[in-house]
Amino acid sequence: MAWLNLIKRQKILTGLILLCAMWSITFVYVMRKDTVKNHQIKDSENNSSSVHVAQLVELEHKVEKVRKDADEYNDLLLKLREEINGLIMQKKGDDGQQIANLPDWKEVGDILGATNANDATKVVPVLVLAFNRPSVSRCLDLLIKYRSTKEQFPIIVSQDGNHRETAAVINGYGDQIVHLTHPPIEVTLPAKEKKFTGYYKLSSHYKWAINKIFELYPSATSLIIVEDDLDISPDFFSYFNATLPLLDRDPTLMCVSAWNDNGKADLVDTGAKTKLYRTDFFPGLGWMLKREFWRELETKWPKAFWDDWLRDPRQRRERACIRPEISRTRTFGKKGVSNGQFFERHLKYIVLNEQPIQWESSELEYLLKDRYDKAFVDEVYALPLAVRVTDFRRHGPAVRIEYDSAASFKATAKYLAVMNDFKAGVPRTGYLGIVSLYRDGVRVYVAPNRTRWSGYVTSWT
């Protein structure tokens, strides 16, 4: 198809430009050696070497132009990828009709993914959002310990304001990290809403910091975001490095997250350390997004409550995230803008993976939508049905429990001790309405009754 041929030609041209750049650099290197040698010989004969110097300067200017052209071409390629992803997300028009002559998204994703995603050394900046916690050192120590190189995973700490003790801790890391300072903003709210001031400041900080990172690293196509109160697992970087190609290939994904909202020890299979899922619920707490996704969000970024805003159907647009069975992050921040909401009774019990896993050797294509959805739904609805939640242990190693209302889901979730709230009608960790957990040696799927469920109901809270 025309689109695919265009993309293939773009790849060929990219290779030619890079080849020319390498040839030019090599040529300059040889010319430098020859120029020095000739200069030494001619010094004994003639003290003038101005001709050779001028030629060398001219060659260096040409090499610099080739390098700039290659950078500009790479930007054009990124814009092309963004436009194609936008077309793919509009594959069906508002009237539900198929848009003519649009390439199959998986075929496009395969080509584009082969261009960039398989490069294991591509730069993926890590943004750490900090405020007034000197304990940010706990997070930074682990990030520095577990990253492969600072060239591949540069760590940038963006501090909101200038809390001196925290700033001193950050600056103590020297050239291991980059320290940015977000100018504090003034927030004026009605008296009844002043308790939400922190959410407004956090949202402003997020937008400023993400923009700044993509400005500082123009070649970066993705970004990992953590907050200053997170521990990370030994395989944190390998996990994101291996799942990045999924974001490149699958436009129905908007992020990869390291977090399982229901990741407490008695709700996960601790032996399933490499098990991953798709989820319609944005998890956050250590997540990766693409530059083109940020370009979509940046122009309409909210003044507050950015995470719930991102879970709104108008932003999510039926896209999903990847999340693990065993979390790759764990929060130690009891106090923050949410004043410790859920921490004492939930968050502090989340299990963190402690085993180093080389994710790059894992086959993860089963998480692509065209392979995942049917297999997942078929598996869940083929399982025996526990009519009463109290009977879930009687049906073997895996079971399905159905719900048909917000009330019935909450009652089931309460019994199983999973989080029972909704955001825009989506339960935490839910995918196609299905919540997966592991309780008392049984894999349990809390799933909607398919004869009565036609999608998420945004009024469910």
Side-chain angles (χ1 to χ4, degrees), residues 66-131:
V66 169
R67 185 191 66 77
K68 289 181 178 178
D69 287 345
D71 288 343
E72 291 176 2
Y73 191 82
N74 185 57
D75 289 340
L76 288 173
L77 185 60
L78 290 176
K79 289 178 181 178
L80 175 63
R81 295 177 65 246
E82 181 180 350
E83 289 174 4
I84 291 173
N85 278 343
L87 284 172
I88 291 166
M89 290 309 299
Q90 300 172 23
K91 190 170 184 178
K92 288 189 176 180
D94 294 336
D95 58 358
Q97 297 298 313
Q98 188 80 11
I99 297 176
N101 299 322
L102 189 65
D104 176 73
W105 71 264
K106 185 179 185 300
E107 188 176 356
V108 172
D110 289 343
I111 294 172
L112 295 177
T115 303
N116 289 314
N118 294 328
D119 181 3
T121 60
K122 67 190 303 184
V123 176
V124 182
V126 181
L127 170 61
V128 181
L129 289 135
F131 177 41

Side-chain angles (χ1 to χ4, degrees), residues 376-403 412 416 432-437 442-451:
F376 182 61
V377 170
D378 288 350
E379 176 188 358
V380 170
Y381 287 93
L383 292 173
L385 174 65
V387 177
R388 294 180 299 180
V389 64
T390 54
D391 294 336
F392 79 89
R393 301 175 186 84
R394 301 180 182 179
H395 295 272
V399 65
R400 180 176 85 259
I401 303 171
E402 292 190 348
Y403 67 93
T412 298
L416 296 171
L432 303 177
I434 302 167
V435 171
S436 171
L437 61 129
V442 179
R443 173 62 59 184
V444 180
Y445 295 98
V446 183
N449 183 315
R450 281 296 169 188
T451 62

